Amino acid sequence: MAHTHIQQRRLSMSLNNLPFDLDSLHQAYRSGVTAADVMSESLRRIEAANDPGIFIHVASAESLAKDAAALGPFDPKSKPLWGIPIAVKDNIDVAGMETTGGAPAFAFQPAKDAFAIACLKSAGAIIVGKTNLDQFATGLVGVRTPYPIPRNAIDPEIVPGGSSSGSAVAVARGLVSLALGTDTAGSGRVPAALNNIVGLKPSLGVISSAGMLPACRTLDTISVFALTVQDATTALEALAYFDPEDAYARDGLYLKQASMPHEFSIGVPDGASREFFGDTAQAASFDATLDALTRLGGELKPIDFAPLFQAAKLLYEGPWVAERYAALRSVIEDRPEIMHPTTRAIVSGASKYSAADAFDAAYEMAGIRRIMEPILDALDCLCVPSVPTFYSRTDLEADPIGPNARLGVYTNFVNLMDMCGLAVPTATRQDGRPGSVTLLAGWGRDRFLATIASRLHQEAGVSLGATGWPLPVPAPAAEDAAATDEIAVALVGAHMRGLPLNHEVAGRGGRFLREARTAPKYTLYSLAGGPPKRPGMIRGDGGAEIALEIWAMPQTAFGAFMAGIPQPLGIGTIELSDGSQVKGFLCEPAGLAGAEEITSFGGWRAYLEAD
């Protein structure tokens, strides 16, 4: 008995110091820690935090133990979020937990999980609780709540950021590994910046909004808070399933992989567009981050942000606020007294706009997009300050509107411009407050941003959130060789990840090994016919390097795969840029009738993106 007691005490001590990033948790599970142990530790940390403003609802120890037991054996391959404790913003439905939207009198019991929650559970995640927010997701400050205000994890004097305040603080304090927020105007990025964590705002529609209380239905997205970029990306992969019942869901090239480019162009605010409201420490922090980006291969391109700032004003200072009114019509018309005074004042402002005003704003927004299209198309991404400055809770007591508007200078335009964004911690400011920038790119380029953001986070060398845990060294790449019972196959086109025929490989047990390029001896074509569009690659005189993916397929499944390959395609031997050889797709020359040569694009993905 004494021996068992000592073992339990040692386990408890080790759990107390266990970082909650995904890699650390999975290593702990491999060493014998159980999911029930981690859930108990999460509850212990929540109690020890002694901050009643973070969570609106916390699951019971009994229900979490039951969820942990239901997971079965540790299986991170089929369940990449196995045993990962996750918090959820309380405007997203979780079965068995009330949804309040930050208004107790509005509370209801959802009939089922939101689509996104079902995805997380399918990936092995365990929902620990529901987090506080700016009521009805209206605000960037985190203080517009009838519940206690969450304390900022880094500096209790400053606001926690909103509207996803509780979610950001829960992750920053290491109470959970991941948290869902939402983002319409910056609610998934501002709180991340103020609490020294990663905030991923995905491309609109790649995460289903079914089961989420809308703020602006056409602009809303569920977002992810994480300790590392890799953790955020892993969560997004578990969430990004097309939901045909969500009218705003979009399926496409989001899942395309990307590698860190050697060189990339990055748009930054020009001199007239730089706004820090007198915060010289924030200006210096941003300049230092731009220097870091140049060291990573970025070429800075100053651009005029005036059109983007004009778009931002439309969201809160124009008729777009009427979309918030539409989302809350039953509340503001029938029960306005249950709303936070500031929230009610903002949404009530929609009454001064007409339908004609809304159309005028839509026309103005279309004009802004047209102005910015050639500028953005010439860049790989943008880099902006996640927040231009910091505000204290006292500042918000004196002025509940102005600081909120200023925090959104570099966030409000993003969803209107149909961009994805990733807020990433940078080096700590001179005064000890957290540094952060947000990388932005066009729809579907989430993976590209993650490659740069991960390197930038490593460059900063900061600890994780407010935990003091060191930033982990990135996990080594997946095994890049086929096993003895597998065959390595080079995929050139529609069978690659995220593309229409990938299921023919993955569904037969295929697994991704690595990205690669051919030797400079191949010519690439877009073949006639389809859908789907298909490439054809031939070897001959001249040619160039062509991007491809190497997959491993079980030998027992390879024959069935081969049987489904139509003429003029076949499997031959491809020489790679490193001199090695691999089996892969080649095209018979006779099949090139009506084909378009696309070698200059360097690969099938690049061709699709430019098409």
Side-chain angles (χ1 to χ4, degrees), residues 224-292:
V224 178
F225 294 101
L227 294 167
T228 71
V229 174
Q230 180 57 51
D231 287 1
T233 303
T234 300
L236 186 54
E237 289 174 350
L239 289 160
Y241 284 90
F242 179 70
D243 178 8
E245 296 184 8
D246 178 2
Y248 287 93
R250 297 158 77 182
D251 198 4
L253 294 178
Y254 152 71
L255 287 177
K256 64 179 180 290
Q257 299 291 315
S259 56
M260 176 69 186
H262 296 297
E263 297 179 351
F264 53 97
S265 58
I266 186 161
V268 299
D270 64 13
S273 305
R274 290 168 62 95
E275 181 57 85
F276 298 100
F277 301 102
D279 189 338
T280 56
Q282 190 72 342
S285 174
F286 185 60
D287 285 337
T289 302
L290 296 185
D291 289 342

Side-chain angles (χ1 to χ4, degrees), residues 175-266:
L175 311 183
V176 293
S177 302
L178 300 164
L180 295 190
T182 61
D183 191 307
T184 304
S187 295
R189 293 161 278 156
V190 169
L194 297 181
N195 290 278
N196 194 42
I197 58 172
V198 172
L200 191 155
K201 188 219 79 70
S203 294
L204 291 177
V206 299
I207 299 178
S208 171
S209 293
M212 181 187 83
L213 295 178
C216 292
R217 184 69 182 89
T218 60
L219 303 176
D220 295 335
T221 182
I222 289 174
S223 64
V224 178
F225 294 101
L227 294 167
T228 71
V229 174
Q230 180 57 51
D231 287 1
T233 303
T234 300
L236 186 54
E237 289 174 350
L239 289 160
Y241 284 90
F242 179 70
D243 178 8
E245 296 184 8
D246 178 2
Y248 287 93
R250 297 158 77 182
D251 198 4
L253 294 178
Y254 152 71
L255 287 177
K256 64 179 180 290
Q257 299 291 315
S259 56
M260 176 69 186
H262 296 297
E263 297 179 351
F264 53 97
S265 58
I266 186 161

Side-chain angles (χ1 to χ4, degrees), residues 7-381:
Q7 286 182 319
Q8 290 175 340
R9 185 176 179 184
R10 286 176 176 171
L11 174 62
S12 176
M13 292 176 64
S14 64
L15 286 173
N16 290 355
N17 299 317
L18 175 63
F20 265 16
D21 64 279
L22 269 59
D23 187 55
S24 295
L25 278 180
H26 280 181
Q27 288 184 37
Y29 287 141
R30 292 186 185 96
S31 71
V33 171
T34 69
D37 294 332
V38 170
M39 294 310 115
S40 295
E41 174 61 14
S42 180
L43 291 179
R44 186 199 68 78
R45 293 181 184 188
I46 292 170
E47 183 177 1
N50 191 29
D51 185 348
I54 300 175
F55 283 91
I56 292 175
H57 174 85
V58 177
S60 68
E62 293 75 19
S63 68
L64 290 177
K66 183 178 179 180
D67 291 341
L71 288 175
F74 179 54
D75 182 11
K77 185 173 182 179
S78 64
K79 295 182 177 181
L81 298 179
W82 193 99
I84 301 301
I86 292 182
V88 177
K89 186 176 181 179
D90 199 20
N91 61 343
I92 303 169
D93 289 345
V94 176
M97 300 182 186
E98 280 190 336
T99 300
T100 73
F106 179 80
F108 64 91
Q109 282 285 353
K112 62 179 181 178
D113 287 326
F115 186 91
I117 299 302
C119 289
L120 291 179
K121 289 182 176 179
S122 178
I126 297 178
I127 310 303
V128 173
K130 305 290 289 295
T131 54
N132 202 354
L133 66 156
D134 279 320
Q135 190 181 77
F136 296 122
T138 302
L140 294 174
V141 286
V143 303
R144 298 171 179 174
T145 173
Y147 300 99
I149 298 169
R151 295 192 297 271
N152 183 287
I154 306 297
D155 180 355
E157 294 299 315
I158 62 177
V159 296
S163 58
S164 311
S165 52
S167 289
V169 174
V171 171
R173 297 195 65 172
L175 311 183
V176 293
S177 302
L178 300 164
L180 295 190
T182 61
D183 191 307
T184 304
S187 295
R189 293 161 278 156
V190 169
L194 297 181
N195 290 278
N196 194 42
I197 58 172
V198 172
L200 191 155
K201 188 219 79 70
S203 294
L204 291 177
V206 299
I207 299 178
S208 171
S209 293
M212 181 187 83
L213 295 178
C216 292
R217 184 69 182 89
T218 60
L219 303 176
D220 295 335
T221 182
I222 289 174
S223 64
V224 178
F225 294 101
L227 294 167
T228 71
V229 174
Q230 180 57 51
D231 287 1
T233 303
T234 300
L236 186 54
E237 289 174 350
L239 289 160
Y241 284 90
F242 179 70
D243 178 8
E245 296 184 8
D246 178 2
Y248 287 93
R250 297 158 77 182
D251 198 4
L253 294 178
Y254 152 71
L255 287 177
K256 64 179 180 290
Q257 299 291 315
S259 56
M260 176 69 186
H262 296 297
E263 297 179 351
F264 53 97
S265 58
I266 186 161
V268 299
D270 64 13
S273 305
R274 290 168 62 95
E275 181 57 85
F276 298 100
F277 301 102
D279 189 338
T280 56
Q282 190 72 342
S285 174
F286 185 60
D287 285 337
T289 302
L290 296 185
D291 289 342
L293 282 169
T294 60
R295 291 193 296 273
L296 294 176
E299 181 182 3
L300 305 183
K301 301 282 190 179
I303 65 171
D304 180 6
F305 271 61
L308 299 177
F309 293 155
Q310 185 58 34
K313 289 181 179 180
L314 292 173
L315 193 59
Y316 275 113
E317 299 176 29
W320 245 279
V321 73
E323 193 169 9
R324 291 185 182 271
Y325 189 102
L328 295 171
R329 182 190 296 268
S330 63
V331 176
I332 200 164
E333 292 182 357
D334 301 333
R335 296 187 292 165
E337 71 280 358
I338 75 171
M339 298 180 71
H340 188 280
T342 304
T343 305
R344 184 171 65 244
I346 290 170
V347 177
S348 297
S351 61
K352 66 184 178 183
Y353 295 107
S354 67
D357 293 329
F359 277 107
D360 284 343
Y363 302 151
E364 182 178 357
M365 191 62 233
I368 292 170
R369 292 191 188 103
R370 182 54 53 88
I371 291 171
M372 294 304 300
E373 276 176 5
I375 298 171
L376 299 178
D377 286 347
L379 299 166
D380 289 310
C381 60

Side-chain angles (χ1 to χ4, degrees), residues 382-407:
L382 302 180
C383 179
V384 298
S386 296
V387 293
T389 188
F390 291 75
Y391 289 101
S392 69
R393 292 170 63 159
T394 302
D395 292 332
L396 268 296
E397 291 170 3
D399 178 4
I401 302 294
N404 188 95
R406 291 189 283 277
L407 283 174

